[in-house]
Amino acid sequence: MRKFGYRVSTHQLLRFHRGFDLVIIDELDAYPYHNDPMLAYAAEQACKVDGSFIYLSATPPHEMQRLVRSGRLPHARVPVRFHGHPLPVPQHLSMISIQTCLKRGNLPRSIIHTLRKSLEREAQIFCFVSRIAHIEGLLVLLRRSFPGVVIEGTSSKDSFRAEKVTAFRDRAISLLVTTTILERGVTVPRSDVFILDADSDLFDEASLVQMAGRAGRSKDDPAGRVVFASPQWTRSQRGAISQIRTMNIIARRKGYISKEAPR
C-alpha cells in the first residue's frame, strides 16, 4: 500500500486510523495479511469512511469467491496475462513421494524423463517441495541424474537465497529446488514448474495456483510447463487446475486471448 507515493506495510496501518482515501491490499491471501484478523481490521480502519477499499489477488479466499459469485462483492476479473496467451494448465504426473525417493536413493524414470524434456528446451526449472528437510537429499539425487547441469536449492533458512535467485534469473542456475518462499513475486523468463509431493497437505489450492503461475509469464515463452507430481490426485490439485482452466475459458469467451501459444 502507498500513502503519498510511499509503500506502507500492513503492520504500519495500525498508525493510520481513517488516514487513507484509497486502500489497496495486494496479495491478500499471503503472509502476513492472510488469516490475521487484527491486520484485516487495521486495514479497514485505515480507510476513510467515504474512501475506497480494493483487494488484489490471483487466488482470493473461498469466502470472497462466494461473495463474488452471489453478486454481493463488486469485482473486476483479469483472466489473461499481458501477452494475450492462455495460462499454462498443469499436468499430473503419478510418482512416489519424495520421502520414498530419498529412502530408495533414486528418482523414478518418469520424473527424470519429464525434467530432461524441460532441460532440453533450455527452460529454467522451478522445483517446489513441501519440506525444507527434503531439499539437500533431493539435490543429491538430481545432480546424480543430471551431471553437468547446475542445480541448487534454497529456502527461508538459506542466507544466500537472494544470490541464488539472481543467479537463477541470469541462467547461471538451471534448476532451483525451493519451498513456497518463491511461489509469488518472482518472474523468470522461460520457466517450467515442477511441484513434487503436490498432494501434500501443505499445498492448498491457492498455493498450487500461485506456484503454477511462475510459468508462462514471459511473452517469449508464454506456454511454459507445469507438472503436479504426486502419488495421489487430490481435491486441491483438481481445484487448482479447474481454476486455471476457468480463467482461460473466460479469457477466450471475452476475446482476450490473441493467439494460442505453441506447446
Side-chain angles (χ1 to χ4, degrees):
M1 290 197 351
R2 297 181 180 272
K3 181 177 176 64
F4 309 122
Y6 294 95
R7 184 175 297 274
V8 178
S9 73
T10 45
H11 284 96
Q12 289 172 321
L13 286 175
L14 296 169
R15 304 179 181 181
F16 296 99
H17 182 74
R18 303 304 183 199
F20 295 89
D21 295 295
L22 172 65
V23 174
I24 302 176
I25 302 293
D26 192 13
E27 303 285 14
L28 69 97
D29 56 313
Y31 175 86
Y33 191 84
H34 182 55
N35 284 337
D36 191 326
M38 184 270 289
L39 288 182
Y41 177 78
E44 293 172 2
Q45 293 300 304
C47 188
K48 293 181 179 179
V49 176
D50 58 348
S52 298
F53 200 99
I54 299 174
Y55 292 110
L56 299 178
S57 176
T59 51
H62 286 293
E63 176 60 20
M64 186 170 289
Q65 294 183 40
R66 189 181 65 80
L67 292 174
V68 167
R69 287 194 299 269
S70 66
R72 287 184 287 170
L73 183 64
H75 70 284
R77 189 189 303 237
V78 182
V80 70
R81 288 175 171 153
F82 74 97
H83 50 55
H85 289 272
L87 303 169
V89 178
Q91 301 173 331
H92 183 248
L93 176 66
S94 180
M95 67 169 280
I96 58 177
S97 69
I98 296 304
Q99 186 62 39
T100 301
C101 291
L102 296 178
K103 287 181 178 179
R104 294 182 179 181
N106 57 57
L107 294 170
R109 290 182 180 178
S110 57
I111 190 67
I112 292 175
H113 173 73
T114 309
L115 284 168
R116 183 173 288 118
K117 289 173 66 175
S118 289
L119 291 169
E120 288 174 350
R121 80 176 198 90
E122 298 183 343
Q124 296 295 102
I125 303 173
F126 285 92
C127 188
F128 288 101
V129 295
S130 60
R131 300 184 184 279
I132 295 176
H134 289 165
I135 293 178
E136 288 303 319
L138 183 57
L139 286 175
V140 171
L141 300 185
L142 287 168
R143 287 167 177 162
R144 184 187 303 159
S145 299
F146 302 104
V149 176
V150 181
I151 303 172
E152 292 291 344
T154 190
S155 71
S156 58
K157 295 183 178 180
D158 183 4
S159 57
F160 296 101
R161 182 173 74 237
E163 290 87 345
K164 289 178 181 177
V165 172
T166 297
F168 187 55
R169 281 199 180 105
D170 294 340
R171 302 183 67 83
I173 295 173
S174 297
L175 191 158
L176 187 63
V177 180
T178 181
T179 55
T180 53
I181 57 165
L182 299 184
E183 73 174 2
R184 64 185 82 216
V186 175
T187 297
V188 177
R190 201 172 184 80
S191 295
D192 284 356
V193 173
F194 286 73
I195 304 173
L196 307 187
D197 287 346
D199 57 349
S200 169
D201 291 340
L202 299 177
F203 293 153
D204 60 12
E205 179 181 323
S207 64
L208 290 171
V209 170
Q210 288 286 354
M211 288 184 282
R214 298 309 97 202
R217 300 172 75 86
S218 168
K219 64 181 178 60
D220 298 320
D221 187 52
R225 170 186 285 179
V226 181
V227 175
F228 290 169
S230 64
Q232 301 182 64
W233 184 229
T234 60
R235 180 177 180 179
S236 292
Q237 293 175 79
R238 292 194 300 270
I241 290 177
S242 176
Q243 190 176 146
I244 292 169
R245 281 179 173 159
T246 297
M247 297 298 275
N248 286 338
I249 290 171
I250 294 171
R252 290 190 181 94
R253 186 181 300 151
K254 292 183 177 293
Y256 295 147
I257 292 179
S258 57
K259 57 183 178 178
E260 298 292 335
R263 303 303 299 179

